[in-house]
Amino acid sequence: MSNKKMLLVLLFFITSNLTFSQNITGIIEGEIIDKENKSPLVGATVLIENSSMGNAANIDGKFVIENVNVGSYSLKISYIGYESIIKTDVIVRSGRRTFIKAELQPSIYQTQDINVTAGYFSEVEKQPVNTVSFSYEEIRRAPGAAGDVSRIMMSLPSVAKVNDQTNNLIVRGGSPLENAFYVDNIEIPNINHFPTQGASGGPLGLINVDFINDVNFYSGGFSSAYGDKLSSIMDMSFREGNKNNIEGQLDLNFAGFGGVVEGPISDKGSYMLSVRRSYFDLLAKTINIGTTVAPSYGDYQWKVVYDIDNSNKLELIGIWGDDHNNQDQKTAIENDMIYYGNQDIFENTTGINWQQVWGKAGYSNTSLSFTSTKFDEDYFETGSALFLRKNNSKEQDIKFRNVNYIRLNNLLNVTFGVEAKFGNSKYDNLYGTYTDALGNNVPEEKHIITFSEDKYSAFVNFSFNPFKQLTTSIGSRADYFTFNKQTTYSPRVSINYQLDDLSSIKAFAGLFYQNLPAILLSQSSKNKELKDPLAIHYILGYERLLNKDTRLTIDLYYKNYKNLPLDPAQPSLFLIDEIYYRSGYFFNHSNLISEGKAFSKGIEIMVQKKLAEDFYGLVSFSYSTTEYKALDNVWRKRVYDNKIIASIEGGYKPNTKWEFSLRWVYAGGTPYTPFNLQKSQDLNRAVLDENLLNANRYPDYHSLNLRVDRRFNFSNTNLVVYLSVWNAYSRKNVATYFWNETEKKPNTIYQWTLIPIFGLEYEF
């Protein structure tokens, strides 16, 4: 469908429902359960703050509040013997049901006579490490995020700021390889379009934000229930579809157009289906803008929920994406691209999760999933047109994950489980003759192999409250990797000591192991001798509630890395960071050793305010350093070392119709290696100066993103129109310096300048 036809269809739906009402209302419904055993909390109360409206949960823990005027609300949810919570950003829309799922934490020492103040921050954010939780609405409206769940994390002090063109998560001195993503207990290897092979980044998010219920982001020190990653965990839950009526939504924004449809399955479940498609390529053909890069991509997502009975639930999810980017040499020259060629990527994850509630004792989540990513790529150097790399590969995994929770008594609970991964990859790759980063000539090499790797894991974690002020957590996991026949053990311990009603001190220490990417391990049989990379986390934190909706967190951390791979042919370079200065790819390495070391340390300060009334915001600051040591025994800065990062993000909602928000980010320039001009000119290739590795820094980065939202509520439909401006004062932030083979001299690639983004969300 052309853009013009699509807009006409959208206009028809909008204008056909322009029947205004004096009193437009919607419905709030939801479910209230025990966080620890997932059983319904019969009689729990739900009140709309600053209102007399509310209701109580029925025998199934479900509630309904009808005839609520459209607008944004906060819900106070309470139950005797449990810690009350407040759910903010509850958007009521005309003719629609807004579903809220609340999990209340038992209060060990609370009695009926004690009144505990409701909390605006989720229980996961009160854990012994700095953890942040975002709701669907917080992600949807974030300026500079464009609905990309990864980009909203860029305002956190724990995430480095590297480049606007990618949403790579660089967490506390880590690398893009070190992050894991989960959706409803199912691991997703990469949540981006045009995914970076072997890592976790990409330019655009794959997950449809309209599916998201909430996101918990762990920037370090996560429990033993998570493994095989060194830096961070992003744990997402998809909401359930409408179990009463069929509803739909149409979307149009800078990334593309698409829609969501949802509805009931008999009286036992629900479904959601999303289909989206980009229009950059269609736009380029329609208005004939000349030579330009016009990638195309689409995605398909669904979730089906079926309640077998009150104790058993099945959840089926699917996330599929296809990406295509084909440039010729002329396009590459005009757009300052280092490489050009053809790129086709297909990725999908399909899985099922079974949740079983064991009465008052606990619950379990058991999932089985299949993941496949296919790469079909050919690349050539822009200036010379020489063949560089062919990547014809397919990576597949079958994963099993079982997590169990039991509350043994009022003071002690245990989480335990097992995981298994069965991996099979096929590579038919050709690396053409090229000049490496230091000017050495590397001969052509072919890489054809079927690569199998399995992994088996078991974990346990005990949480103990010996007295009211103290919570301790002790756990460990064991992982066996069949490729190198190594078993690793990862003990972890954390404490949380409550100084008073408003303040607490937190501490964590633990070991984290991770397997290297299959694309790297498969390049040589000698890699079976490599050790699994290790990171040791030490964290000390302080938290204080400044008022009921605002909290301050201060974290000190130190990460010590060992067993990182190095290539003796490049003794001063850090292989893990090659994915940064080689445009997102690992080149061929046939002789690696596990001798690399690194560390990162820093302090992070964050003040976060939830939307209690008209304002919300997040202010953060961090000071850090991260270094590596290669085979020449010299400590050098890593390429992600911003040193200083500061950000201000917030918004103002004067009424139910308008919302204004902004995000300003400042980051110190990251290190880079200048060119060896003489060698670069002689070879007409980018050759780094080995004596000045990461010795220079790019100019400091700063950027302002603005956004305004306008809601229109009709009799039975809703429309959200928004305008966002990225890099509002058009700062020319440097992305990288590159060797221009056409002009035979260094040149500069800049990050995005001012970009206006217009979007529509129409619900019917």
Side-chain angles (χ1 to χ4, degrees):
M1 181 184 293
S2 70
N3 284 341
K4 183 180 293 185
K5 290 181 180 179
M6 184 198 64
L7 288 172
L8 288 175
V9 171
L10 180 61
L11 183 62
F12 169 77
F13 274 107
I14 294 173
T15 55
S16 64
N17 288 275
L18 284 178
T19 305
F20 291 89
S21 171
Q22 295 296 320
N23 189 27
I24 304 174
T25 63
I27 297 173
I28 301 176
E29 68 175 23
E31 180 182 19
I32 308 172
I33 61 176
D34 185 311
K35 182 176 179 63
E36 296 192 350
N37 58 35
K38 307 301 180 185
S39 61
L41 297 181
V42 183
T45 59
V46 183
L47 297 175
I48 299 178
E49 291 225 299
N50 304 316
S51 166
S52 60
M53 301 186 71
N55 211 334
N58 62 18
I59 192 171
D60 297 319
K62 298 179 180 179
F63 70 91
V64 178
I65 307 175
E66 298 182 323
N67 298 317
V68 183
N69 290 335
V70 296
S72 177
Y73 297 94
S74 295
L75 299 184
K76 181 179 179 180
I77 305 171
S78 308
Y79 193 64
I80 294 175
Y82 288 75
E83 297 183 6
S84 300
I85 64 172
I86 294 178
K87 288 279 189 178
T88 63
D89 294 304
V90 179
I91 307 298
V92 176
R93 300 153 297 169
S94 59
R96 292 175 71 94
R97 294 172 179 263
T98 299
F99 186 84
I100 300 296
K101 184 173 183 179
E103 298 185 348
L104 300 188
Q105 179 74 24
S107 182
I108 298 171
Y109 296 93
Q110 183 180 348
T111 68
Q112 189 169 351
D113 299 325
I114 297 177
N115 182 24
V116 176
T117 302
Y120 280 80
F121 297 94
S122 68
E123 184 63 30
V124 71
E125 294 175 301
K126 301 175 185 177
Q127 293 191 6
V129 293
N130 189 10
T131 305
V132 180
S133 181
F134 293 99
S135 67
Y136 152 74
E137 182 64 16
E138 289 173 318
I139 298 170
R140 185 202 67 81
R141 70 186 182 206
D148 187 333
V149 67
S150 295
R151 289 185 184 271
I152 193 175
M153 306 303 165
M154 300 298 181
S155 60
L156 300 180
S158 55
V159 180
K161 184 63 183 177
V162 180
N163 195 323
D164 287 334
Q165 278 90 326
T166 178
N167 58 19
N168 281 327
L169 293 177
I170 313 298
V171 182
R172 289 183 172 175
S175 75
L177 281 68
E178 302 174 20
N179 313 297
F181 308 95
Y182 291 84
V183 175
D184 292 335
N185 198 45
I186 293 171
E187 185 177 1
I188 314 294
N190 196 311
I191 59 170
N192 296 288
H193 285 289
F194 301 100
T196 303
Q197 189 170 14
S200 61
L204 297 161
L206 173 65
I207 301 295
N208 189 338
V209 67
D210 293 309
F211 272 38
I212 292 176
N213 183 55
D214 56 38
V215 176
N216 298 318
F217 183 68
Y218 304 83
S219 56
F222 38 90
S223 81
S224 57
Y226 301 103
D228 201 30
K229 295 299 174 185
L230 300 180
S231 285
S232 78
I233 300 292
M234 187 185 294
D235 198 344
M236 293 172 275
S237 64
F238 278 177
R239 65 181 178 89
E240 297 182 8
N242 192 317
K243 293 185 177 181
N244 299 284
N245 303 298
I246 296 176
E247 293 182 339
Q249 176 174 320
L250 296 176
D251 298 307
L252 172 67
N253 54 47
F254 97 109
F257 61 91
V260 177
V261 63
E262 59 185 278
I265 299 178
S266 67
D267 60 347
K268 286 284 191 177
S270 66
Y271 69 88
M272 292 192 300
L273 172 65
S274 164
V275 179
R276 300 186 298 178
R277 205 304 193 173
S278 68
Y279 57 71
F280 289 145
D281 56 327
L282 302 178
L283 186 64
K285 294 177 182 178
T286 301
I287 63 178
N288 190 25
I289 59 178
T291 303
T292 187
V293 179
S296 65
Y297 51 91
D299 54 63
Y300 324 90
Q301 297 163 51
W302 63 87
K303 179 174 180 175
V304 175
V305 177
Y306 190 80
D307 298 320
I308 300 174
D309 53 39
N310 291 336
S311 300
N312 295 273
K313 175 188 293 187
L314 293 178
E315 299 172 307
L316 174 68
I317 68 168
I319 302 172
W320 291 47
D322 65 283
D323 312 316
H324 311 280
N325 195 9
N326 304 298
Q327 317 99 15
D328 56 23
Q329 188 179 22
K330 182 180 179 182
T331 300
I333 292 173
E334 292 188 6
N335 291 276
D336 289 335
M337 298 168 57
I338 303 173
Y339 312 118
Y340 71 93
N342 302 314
Q343 182 181 44
D344 299 289
I345 303 175
F346 303 88
E347 54 185 317
N348 83 82
T349 296
T350 303
I352 188 169
N353 183 66
W354 169 33
Q355 182 181 98
Q356 183 179 32
V357 177
W358 308 332
K360 299 293 184 179
Y363 68 94
S364 66
N365 277 304
T366 305
S367 66
L368 182 66
S369 62
F370 172 77
T371 296
S372 175
T373 308
K374 182 181 179 182
F375 296 85
D376 189 0
E377 303 169 314
D378 294 280
Y379 285 105
F380 304 84
E381 288 186 343
T382 298
S384 64
L386 291 176
F387 173 77
L388 183 63
R389 183 175 184 264
K390 169 191 173 184
N391 178 22
N392 188 354
S393 59
K394 189 172 185 179
E395 300 174 338
Q396 296 179 325
D397 291 315
I398 296 175
K399 298 177 182 178
F400 172 84
R401 176 173 165 85
N402 168 255
V403 183
N404 309 279
Y405 176 90
I406 298 178
R407 187 173 186 181
L408 300 176
N409 54 50
N410 287 340
L411 303 179
L412 179 64
N413 59 64
V414 58
T415 302
F416 63 95
V418 294
E419 293 176 308
K421 182 184 81 169
F422 308 96
N424 185 272
S425 303
K426 295 181 179 180
Y427 299 103
D428 182 3
N429 295 348
L430 177 62
Y431 301 89
T433 301
Y434 71 98
T435 303
D436 70 15
L438 300 179
N440 303 310
N441 188 58
V442 180
E444 179 180 289
E445 186 160 343
K446 207 165 190 179
H447 180 62
I448 302 177
I449 189 172
T450 297
F451 180 75
S452 297
E453 49 166 345
D454 301 334
K455 187 164 189 174
Y456 307 96
S457 309
F459 57 86
V460 63
N461 188 82
F462 293 92
S463 182
F464 181 51
N465 296 90
F467 51 91
K468 182 178 180 180
Q469 290 81 11
L470 181 64
T471 301
T472 62
S473 178
I474 300 175
S476 185
R477 63 180 292 125
D479 298 275
Y480 176 71
F481 189 39
T482 58
F483 176 72
N484 57 15
K485 295 183 171 52
Q486 291 183 14
T487 301
T488 58
Y489 300 95
S490 307
R492 301 169 192 178
V493 59
S494 63
I495 62 171
N496 184 344
Y497 184 78
Q498 200 76 26
L499 297 173
D500 53 43
D501 291 341
L502 301 176
S503 306
S504 62
I505 293 177
K506 309 177 181 186
F508 175 90
L511 274 62
F512 297 80
Y513 285 93
Q514 178 177 336
N515 301 140
L516 292 169
I519 184 66
L520 193 61
L521 290 176
S522 64
Q523 293 178 356
S524 172
S525 60
K526 296 179 182 178
N527 289 337
K528 291 183 178 182
E529 301 174 6
L530 293 175
K531 300 177 182 178
D532 292 331
L534 164 68
I536 307 173
H537 293 206
Y538 303 96
I539 305 171
L540 179 63
Y542 171 79
E543 178 178 318
R544 182 173 178 82
L545 282 177
L546 303 180
N547 55 50
K548 64 178 184 178
D549 60 358
T550 307
R551 70 165 181 163
L552 164 71
T553 59
I554 303 175
D555 273 13
L556 295 168
Y557 69 89
Y558 181 84
K559 289 168 69 174
N560 187 20
Y561 287 87
K562 299 180 180 179
N563 305 338
L564 296 170
L566 297 174
D567 189 341
Q570 300 173 333
S572 56
L573 297 183
F574 201 47
L575 178 60
I576 290 297
D577 292 346
E578 179 183 50
I579 205 166
Y580 174 79
Y581 56 77
R582 280 294 185 185
S583 299
Y585 295 98
F586 287 113
F587 277 59
N588 189 58
H589 298 275
S590 58
N591 184 27
L592 300 178
I593 57 177
S594 301
E595 298 294 333
K597 296 181 179 181
F599 76 85
S600 63
K601 59 183 178 180
I603 181 172
E604 300 170 356
I605 303 172
M606 183 175 69
V607 177
Q608 184 181 13
K609 183 187 185 304
K610 293 287 187 176
L611 179 62
E613 295 180 358
D614 300 332
F615 293 94
Y616 59 89
L618 188 153
V619 179
S620 67
F621 172 84
S622 67
Y623 180 84
S624 63
T625 185
T626 174
E627 299 182 6
Y628 77 90
K629 185 171 74 171
L631 294 176
D632 59 357
N633 290 317
V634 177
W635 285 100
R636 296 183 176 89
K637 299 294 183 183
R638 292 187 66 180
V639 293
Y640 308 112
D641 181 44
N642 284 118
K643 242 181 186 8
I644 295 176
I645 301 175
S647 70
I648 300 173
E649 179 176 328
Y652 172 57
K653 299 184 72 170
N655 51 49
T656 60
K657 298 179 180 180
W658 292 95
E659 180 172 356
F660 306 90
S661 57
L662 63 84
R663 176 196 289 178
W664 181 80
V665 177
Y666 169 87
T670 54
Y672 76 94
T673 304
F675 295 122
N676 183 320
L677 292 178
Q678 188 60 56
K679 286 187 177 180
S680 298
Q681 290 170 350
D682 291 343
L683 298 173
N684 197 24
R685 299 282 190 283
V687 179
L688 303 181
D689 189 334
E690 191 171 3
N691 297 318
L692 295 173
L693 288 175
N694 293 347
N696 293 359
R697 286 186 178 270
Y698 289 113
D700 293 348
Y701 171 99
H702 52 89
S703 177
L704 174 67
N705 298 314
L706 303 173
R707 175 166 170 148
V708 57
D709 290 60
R710 175 64 163 93
R711 289 184 177 272
F712 297 88
N713 296 291
F714 310 124
S715 58
N716 291 299
T717 61
N718 306 273
L719 174 67
V720 179
V721 181
Y722 63 87
L723 175 64
S724 181
V725 181
W726 289 14
N727 196 359
Y729 51 80
S730 198
R731 161 79 173 180
K732 296 187 71 173
N733 292 301
V734 175
T736 187
Y737 300 125
F738 75 104
W739 187 263
N740 191 318
E741 297 175 9
T742 304
E743 300 179 3
K744 299 182 179 180
K745 66 177 184 178
N747 216 328
T748 304
I749 296 177
Y750 292 98
Q751 302 186 43
W752 289 332
T753 54
L754 187 149
I755 300 179
I757 297 172
F758 176 77
L760 298 171
E761 299 171 3
Y762 181 65
E763 301 170 329
F764 57 92

